[in-house]
Each structure stands twice: as C-alpha cells, then as structure tokens.
Amino acid sequence: MTPTSIILVCRHNLFSTNAVATRELSLGTHEITLALDDTFPLGTSSTNVTVEVITASDAVTILVGLVQDSTLSAEANSLCLASLAAAAAAFDRGNVNAGDNQLQALQNKLRAQVMPFNATLAGELIRATQEIIDGTAGRVTL
C-alpha cells in the first residue's frame, strides 16, 4: 500500500498533517482545505469545507427557533423556552456550568413531558440540547 500525505489548511495556515486533527477555532467562519496526495501521478485531490464557530448562547438561540417551530403544546413550549432563556443568560454571563445545568433540566422536562406523546420530537430536541452541552465541555466558568 502506498503512503498517503494528508494536509489540512485553515486560512492559508497549516492546520495538521495527521489523519485525525483536533484544533480549537476562534469564533467566526473558517474554510478548511483537505489535500491528499497518494504519491501517484495526478494523485492529488483536495476539498474545502466551511465551518461556522458560534457561541453557546448563539446555539441556544438556534434551539429556541427549533422549539418555536415545533408542534409542542403551548404549555410545553413555554416551559422549554423558559429553560432556554435561562441557559442563554447563563452562557452570556460566562457561567458555563449554570448554562449546562439549565440544558440538562430541559432534557429532563422533554423526557417527562414530551417523550410520552411525541418521542421523535423529544429525541430531536434532546440531541440538539446535548450537542450544545458537548460543545461546552471543558470550558472554564468565569
């Protein structure tokens, strides 16, 4: 098997030469280029991906839109939006732990109050909430 060279470039700066790369990006839009060279003639390929790095509060705002556009009852909608408002406020204050706790409380509400009636919607909202929690993992609370 022929070795393959892997190059990841972000904003014209070398990002990594490893097959798996973990790197923290600043807020904003980033274009990442993956270039592969298997050393055969004309064996070089590349592709680009654009990623948008947002704050946890911005992610909660997106989740608010999902809740508002959902088929939740008015009561469940209000409960979810209250938890999301508290989470966003906590993230805006820099209190990641409190924001995550609010999102975990929302997950519990979804399991108890939405899951019995609409398991699909509850699952989607729980997964979206978990994505935010996972994105804040390891962040320092101010």
Side-chain angles (χ1 to χ4, degrees):
M1 179 173 263
T2 306
T4 300
S5 298
I6 298 172
I7 301 169
L8 289 170
V9 177
C10 182
R11 293 190 181 180
H12 306 290
N13 295 313
L14 181 64
F15 188 84
S16 177
T17 57
N18 298 319
V20 176
T22 302
R23 186 150 183 206
E24 191 168 313
L25 298 171
S26 60
L27 293 175
T29 303
H30 302 272
E31 184 172 306
I32 299 173
T33 302
L34 168 64
L36 299 171
D37 184 355
D38 62 9
T39 69
F40 285 115
L42 303 174
T44 301
S45 296
S46 67
T47 190
N48 295 324
V49 63
T50 301
V51 296
E52 179 78 20
V53 180
I54 61 175
T55 66
S57 183
D58 289 339
V60 169
T61 300
I62 292 169
L63 189 51
V64 164
L66 292 174
V67 169
Q68 290 173 332
D69 292 342
S70 73
T71 58
L72 287 174
S73 68
E75 181 182 351
N77 192 308
S78 293
L79 290 172
C80 290
L81 293 177
S83 291
L84 290 170
F91 288 132
D92 284 341
R93 290 190 312 271
N95 193 335
V96 175
N97 292 337
D100 285 349
N101 289 341
Q102 288 292 334
L103 293 177
Q104 289 167 345
L106 172 59
Q107 288 177 324
N108 292 334
K109 290 175 189 177
L110 290 166
R111 285 184 190 98
Q113 298 176 13
V114 178
M115 186 77 72
F117 307 104
N118 191 336
T120 302
L121 177 59
E124 289 173 7
L125 294 173
I126 289 167
R127 279 189 295 282
T129 304
Q130 190 62 48
E131 288 286 329
I132 299 171
I133 294 168
D134 292 347
T136 63
R139 301 292 185 254
V140 176
T141 297
L142 300 175

